[in-house]
Every structure is written in structure tokens, then in C-alpha cells.
Amino acid sequence: MAIVGTVREMYRYPVKSFAGERLETECRIESYGIFGDRLHAFIDETKEGWNSFITARGIPAMLSYRALLEEKGAEDGEPCVIVTAPDGKQYRWNEELLREIQQFARVKISMKSYRPKSGGGTGIDDSHILIVTNRSLLRLEALWGKELDPRRFRANLIVSLNDEGAEESEWIGKSVTIGSAELRIDKGCERCAMIGLHPDTQERDPSLLKVVNKELKLIFGVYASVVKPGAIAVGDKVLLRSP
């Protein structure tokens, strides 16, 4: 195994398309990904599959609501979610929050909570964990010509590569060990209009997606699935294993 970098930042998004939380120390890696990640979502019940999710692509204001987990208040083995609105008001995952978000939607929406330990899946778009590296961020920032906030990409892990560390595109089909967890790198992440939304102001800038399309064929970051659950901490080494 070769050490290719270290974990610089970790993020969790308890509610799909809401702002999430930066994890400062250690996090659990479950079979479905980071503990508590994308376990709640808003749904348009008239649609099916991934098209049924209500996201910030259609309602940018969703990004102004910040969700975090209160793990000590877990119910039935699952963590409780606390949502803070732009005005500072706090909500639980209940009908009051649904009414708050319904005001932004043109269609009737509902709430969905996942119980992955019972085989219920999650609201994750593809594989379990999304990884972006500092080298790719710096390269894209130079191509775009503007300051680039990494939160635009909603990655779970941001990895700082060693000078000699392999690019994440070279990880595909291989496994990485981070902390006590093992992940398999499945494929690149195809990007959409979400990256054009500033994570704080929700201002749209479609020029970023155009650059990613032209220069990177819409691929930025990699998806990984969990081979072995464990724990990952900021500062952990990323060890790359060949197939």
C-alpha cells in the first residue's frame, strides 16, 4: 500500500440538499457511508426514483438550512436531526419543518427518513462516500479563474495529496484504507447544476458547471463504497491499495 495523502476535512449532510456539518475530529463509517449522512430527504410523491427528490437545484433556499445530528438523542438506534433556519429558529424532523419547506415548493412534498440498518438505503445519489482532493480543487480554481469554495461539491472527505500522491482518477477500481475503514473507489462523480450555487448566498453562477463540462467532461471527485466499516479522523493517512 502507498500513502497518497491525508484527510483534511470531513463533512456530513443529515438532510439531503440542506447545508451540513463539518466534523472536526472522528466519524463512524457504517456500511452505508458516514454515520447519519443523507438519512432524511424531501420527496415529490408524484415522481419515482431519484427524480422524486426535492433538492436545491429547484429550491436553492434549502442550502440556507443547516442540519446536524444530535447523536445522544438517538431514537430506535438512529440519530436525531436538528435543523437551523436562516433566521436562527430550530426545527426537528417533523411536520413543523415540512410546513416551513413547503412554502418554497410548487408541488406538495413529503418527508422521508431512511433506516439503513433495516435495509432501507439512504438518500445518497450513488456510492456511499464522495471524495475530493486539494489538488483537483486548486486545478479547477485556476481553470475557473475565481475563488472556489470546496463546499460547492458536497464531498464527505477532502483529501490533501502528497506531492507524489496519485490523482484520484487513478484510484478508480482500487481500494483505500483510512483509519480503520476500507473503501473501494468505484467511479468519478458526474456533476450537475448544484455546484453553481454558492453554499452561503445561494447565488447562481452557471459558469462553473460550464468549465467542469468543457475541461473535465463533467467529472469531479470520486465515489467510494464501504468495504469495511470503521472510523475515520481528520489527519488520518490515505493508503492506496492496488487491485
Side-chain angles (χ1 to χ4, degrees):
M1 291 190 293
I3 299 174
V4 293
T6 57
V7 176
R8 188 181 83 184
E9 297 172 31
M10 300 188 300
Y11 292 90
R12 172 169 59 195
Y13 300 92
V15 178
K16 189 175 181 68
S17 266
F18 277 12
E21 53 185 327
R22 182 172 178 174
L23 304 173
E24 300 292 345
T25 53
E26 184 179 83
C27 68
R28 289 160 47 190
I29 304 299
E30 303 284 0
S31 59
Y32 61 84
I34 286 182
F35 175 72
D37 194 43
R38 274 93 167 186
L39 292 190
H40 303 280
F42 292 95
I43 299 292
D44 177 352
E45 293 184 348
T46 66
K47 298 181 179 179
E48 297 182 353
W50 295 109
N51 291 328
S52 66
F53 284 118
I54 301 294
T55 71
R57 277 176 289 181
I59 305 177
M62 291 177 74
L63 287 176
S64 64
Y65 289 78
R66 185 168 303 279
L68 58 82
L69 295 185
E70 189 180 56
E71 297 186 29
K72 292 182 179 179
E75 297 175 353
D76 301 324
E78 300 293 346
C80 296
V81 64
I82 300 174
V83 174
T84 303
D87 62 4
K89 183 176 180 179
Q90 290 192 332
Y91 297 86
R92 297 284 183 167
W93 187 252
N94 55 28
E95 291 294 320
E96 185 182 17
L97 178 61
L98 177 61
R99 290 192 294 271
E100 173 73 9
I101 302 304
Q102 180 65 67
Q103 67 179 315
F104 300 109
R106 297 179 180 178
V107 298
K108 187 177 185 299
I109 64 176
S110 61
M111 308 173 88
K112 184 169 186 177
S113 295
Y114 294 88
R115 296 292 181 264
K117 290 183 179 180
S118 304
T122 70
I124 295 171
D125 288 338
D126 212 297
S127 296
H128 305 141
I129 292 176
L130 180 56
I131 304 172
V132 166
T133 67
N134 64 326
R135 192 180 298 165
S136 293
L137 287 165
L138 289 170
R139 183 181 300 117
L140 180 54
E141 187 172 70
L143 289 169
W144 192 33
K146 301 179 184 181
E147 185 177 354
L148 186 61
D149 191 319
R151 292 177 299 159
R152 286 179 179 269
F153 303 99
R154 298 178 70 81
N156 297 117
L157 303 178
I158 297 180
V159 172
S160 290
L161 293 178
N162 300 336
D163 291 341
E164 67 279 6
E167 301 280 345
E168 66 261 42
S169 60
E170 300 175 53
W171 301 359
I172 296 173
K174 302 177 182 180
S175 295
V176 294
T177 297
I178 311 175
S180 58
E182 183 179 349
L183 311 176
R184 182 181 62 249
I185 308 302
D186 296 325
K187 63 181 180 179
C189 175
E190 184 173 328
R191 294 298 175 169
C192 67
M194 276 279 290
I195 66 173
L197 292 171
H198 190 282
D200 291 327
T201 67
Q202 293 81 59
E203 181 182 357
R204 288 187 186 272
D205 189 340
S207 67
L208 179 57
L209 185 62
K210 291 179 180 177
V211 171
V212 173
N213 182 28
K214 179 181 178 182
E215 304 292 343
L216 305 174
K217 298 181 180 179
L218 283 179
I219 302 298
F220 190 80
V222 290
Y223 276 123
S225 52
V226 177
V227 175
K228 176 187 173 185
I232 291 177
V234 172
D236 277 348
K237 292 179 173 59
V238 179
L239 291 85
L240 179 65
R241 183 194 303 270
S242 296

